[in-house]
Protein backbone atom coordinates (compact mmCIF):
# COMPACT_ATOMS: atom_id res chain seq x y z
CA UNK A 1 0.00 0.00 0.00
CA UNK A 2 1.27 3.49 -0.83
CA UNK A 3 1.89 5.24 2.49
CA UNK A 4 1.87 8.63 0.74
CA UNK A 5 -1.84 8.25 -0.07
CA UNK A 6 -3.11 5.74 2.49
CA UNK A 7 -2.84 5.96 6.27
CA UNK A 8 -3.50 2.79 8.25
CA UNK A 9 -3.88 2.82 12.02
CA UNK A 10 -4.60 -0.13 14.25
CA UNK A 11 -7.05 0.47 17.07
CA UNK A 12 -4.38 -0.22 19.68
CA UNK A 13 -2.32 2.77 18.50
CA UNK A 14 -5.13 5.31 19.01
CA UNK A 15 -5.05 7.78 21.88
CA UNK A 16 -8.00 8.86 24.04
CA UNK A 17 -8.66 12.20 25.72
CA UNK A 18 -11.12 13.92 28.03
CA UNK A 19 -11.32 17.60 27.08
CA UNK A 20 -11.64 18.55 30.75
CA UNK A 21 -11.23 16.36 33.84
CA UNK A 22 -14.91 16.71 34.80
CA UNK A 23 -16.15 15.52 31.38
CA UNK A 24 -18.19 12.31 31.26
CA UNK A 25 -17.19 11.38 27.73
CA UNK A 26 -13.84 10.46 26.25
CA UNK A 27 -12.72 10.69 22.67
CA UNK A 28 -10.62 8.07 20.92
CA UNK A 29 -8.83 9.81 18.04
CA UNK A 30 -8.91 7.83 14.81
CA UNK A 31 -7.77 10.48 12.29
CA UNK A 32 -7.21 14.24 12.54
CA UNK A 33 -5.35 17.10 10.86
CA UNK A 34 -2.57 17.15 13.46
CA UNK A 35 -1.37 13.55 13.06
CA UNK A 36 -2.65 12.77 9.57
CA UNK A 37 -3.07 16.02 7.62
CA UNK A 38 -6.79 15.32 7.17
CA UNK A 39 -9.23 18.25 6.92
CA UNK A 40 -11.64 16.49 9.30
CA UNK A 41 -11.62 14.75 12.69
CA UNK A 42 -12.84 11.19 13.22
CA UNK A 43 -13.24 9.79 16.73
CA UNK A 44 -15.03 7.12 18.70
CA UNK A 45 -16.77 8.98 21.51
CA UNK A 46 -17.47 6.95 24.66
CA UNK A 47 -20.02 8.35 27.11
CA UNK A 48 -19.99 7.12 30.70
CA UNK A 49 -23.28 5.93 32.19
CA UNK A 50 -25.28 9.13 32.73
CA UNK A 51 -22.68 11.11 30.77
CA UNK A 52 -23.35 14.00 28.43
CA UNK A 53 -21.58 16.68 26.48
CA UNK A 54 -21.84 20.25 27.62
CA UNK A 55 -24.04 22.41 25.38
CA UNK A 56 -21.87 23.32 22.38
CA UNK A 57 -21.85 24.38 18.74
CA UNK A 58 -19.30 24.54 15.95
CA UNK A 59 -18.99 27.65 13.82
CA UNK A 60 -18.03 26.06 10.49
CA UNK A 61 -17.94 22.32 11.14
CA UNK A 62 -20.61 19.78 10.31
CA UNK A 63 -20.70 17.16 13.09
CA UNK A 64 -21.99 13.65 12.47
CA UNK A 65 -22.72 11.01 15.11
CA UNK A 66 -23.29 7.35 14.25
CA UNK A 67 -24.36 5.27 17.26
CA UNK A 68 -22.28 2.10 17.48
CA UNK A 69 -23.71 0.84 20.77
CA UNK A 70 -25.87 2.05 23.63
CA UNK A 71 -28.68 4.54 23.74
CA UNK A 72 -29.06 8.22 24.36
CA UNK A 73 -30.72 11.51 23.56
CA UNK A 74 -29.66 14.29 21.22
CA UNK A 75 -30.85 17.65 22.54
CA UNK A 76 -31.03 20.58 20.14
CA UNK A 77 -33.26 23.17 18.54
CA UNK A 78 -36.84 22.01 18.67
CA UNK A 79 -36.41 19.34 21.33
CA UNK A 80 -34.78 15.96 21.84
CA UNK A 81 -34.37 12.85 19.69
CA UNK A 82 -33.70 9.35 21.00
CA UNK A 83 -30.59 7.59 19.72
CA UNK A 84 -30.00 3.84 19.40
CA UNK A 85 -27.39 1.61 17.75
CA UNK A 86 -27.50 2.22 14.00
CA UNK A 87 -28.96 5.74 14.25
CA UNK A 88 -27.14 8.75 12.85
CA UNK A 89 -27.36 12.46 13.48
CA UNK A 90 -25.98 15.35 11.42
CA UNK A 91 -25.57 18.79 12.95
CA UNK A 92 -25.05 21.74 10.64
CA UNK A 93 -22.65 24.56 11.59
CA UNK A 94 -23.93 26.86 14.33
CA UNK A 95 -26.37 24.31 15.80
CA UNK A 96 -26.37 24.17 19.61
CA UNK A 97 -26.57 20.59 20.85
CA UNK A 98 -25.94 18.15 23.67
CA UNK A 99 -25.61 14.36 23.50
CA UNK A 100 -26.70 12.45 26.61
CA UNK A 101 -26.24 8.80 27.51
CA UNK A 102 -29.61 7.57 28.82
CA UNK A 103 -28.90 3.83 28.72
CA UNK A 104 -27.81 1.46 31.47
CA UNK A 105 -24.35 0.99 29.83
CA UNK A 106 -21.90 3.18 27.97
CA UNK A 107 -22.85 4.98 24.76
CA UNK A 108 -20.44 4.63 21.81
CA UNK A 109 -20.59 6.95 18.79
CA UNK A 110 -18.45 7.27 15.72
CA UNK A 111 -18.18 11.05 15.47
CA UNK A 112 -16.87 13.00 12.49
CA UNK A 113 -16.32 16.77 12.25
CA UNK A 114 -15.67 18.32 8.87
CA UNK A 115 -13.89 20.60 8.47
CA UNK A 116 -11.88 20.35 11.66
CA UNK A 117 -13.09 23.73 13.06
CA UNK A 118 -10.48 23.53 15.86
CA UNK A 119 -11.95 20.27 17.20
CA UNK A 120 -8.68 18.28 17.00
CA UNK A 121 -6.83 20.99 18.87
CA UNK A 122 -9.54 21.11 21.54
CA UNK A 123 -9.44 17.32 21.99
CA UNK A 124 -5.63 17.20 22.14
CA UNK A 125 -5.54 20.07 24.67
CA UNK A 126 -7.34 17.78 27.11
CA UNK A 127 -6.09 15.05 29.40
CA UNK A 128 -4.96 11.71 27.96
CA UNK A 129 -6.98 8.84 29.42
CA UNK A 130 -6.84 5.07 29.23
CA UNK A 131 -9.19 2.96 27.16
CA UNK A 132 -10.37 -0.09 29.09
CA UNK A 133 -10.21 -3.63 27.72
CA UNK A 134 -14.03 -3.73 27.62
CA UNK A 135 -14.13 -0.48 25.63
CA UNK A 136 -11.57 -1.83 23.14
CA UNK A 137 -13.70 -4.92 22.61
CA UNK A 138 -16.75 -2.78 21.78
CA UNK A 139 -14.72 -0.49 19.49
CA UNK A 140 -13.30 -3.50 17.66
CA UNK A 141 -16.77 -5.04 17.35
CA UNK A 142 -15.71 -8.07 19.38
CA UNK A 143 -18.65 -7.66 21.78
CA UNK A 144 -21.69 -5.53 22.41
CA UNK A 145 -21.72 -2.77 24.99
CA UNK A 146 -22.81 -3.68 28.49
CA UNK A 147 -26.59 -3.40 28.93
Amino acid sequence: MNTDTVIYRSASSCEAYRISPADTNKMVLLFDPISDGANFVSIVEIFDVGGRTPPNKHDVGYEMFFVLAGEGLAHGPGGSQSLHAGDSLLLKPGTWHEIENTGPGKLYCLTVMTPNDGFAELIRSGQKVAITADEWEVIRGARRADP
Side-chain angles (χ1 to χ4, degrees):
M1 218 177 269
N2 182 342
T3 57
D4 292 334
T5 58
V6 176
I7 299 171
Y8 169 81
R9 179 163 298 117
S10 69
S12 61
S13 67
C14 295
E15 297 176 326
Y17 296 84
R18 287 194 195 273
I19 292 174
S20 70
D23 282 354
T24 55
N25 60 322
K26 59 179 143 181
M27 301 175 186
V28 182
L29 274 170
L30 302 175
F31 297 103
D32 74 312
I34 296 166
S35 64
D36 308 303
N39 67 351
F40 65 92
V41 178
S42 178
I43 64 174
V44 173
E45 197 162 356
I46 304 170
F47 294 80
D48 296 339
V49 174
R52 71 186 302 151
T53 62
N56 69 95
K57 69 178 181 74
H58 310 284
D59 293 330
V60 297
Y62 286 77
E63 189 171 20
M64 185 277 304
F65 295 86
F66 178 79
V67 180
L68 299 167
E71 53 192 76
L73 284 173
H75 305 284
S80 300
Q81 175 66 48
S82 63
L83 299 171
H84 299 81
D87 290 344
S88 55
L89 173 71
L90 178 64
L91 299 163
K92 294 182 178 181
T95 304
W96 284 97
H97 62 280
E98 294 176 72
I99 305 297
E100 175 185 8
N101 180 0
T102 59
K106 292 181 180 177
L107 172 65
Y108 295 77
C109 294
L110 172 64
T111 304
V112 176
M113 170 90 63
T114 186
N116 172 43
D117 200 8
F119 196 38
E121 294 81 358
L122 179 64
I123 293 168
R124 288 179 176 276
S125 72
Q127 174 186 16
K128 277 190 182 178
V129 293
I131 304 165
T132 69
D134 288 346
E135 291 167 343
W136 277 126
E137 286 185 7
V138 173
I139 291 169
R140 290 185 179 123
R143 74 172 186 84
R144 298 185 66 153
D146 291 330

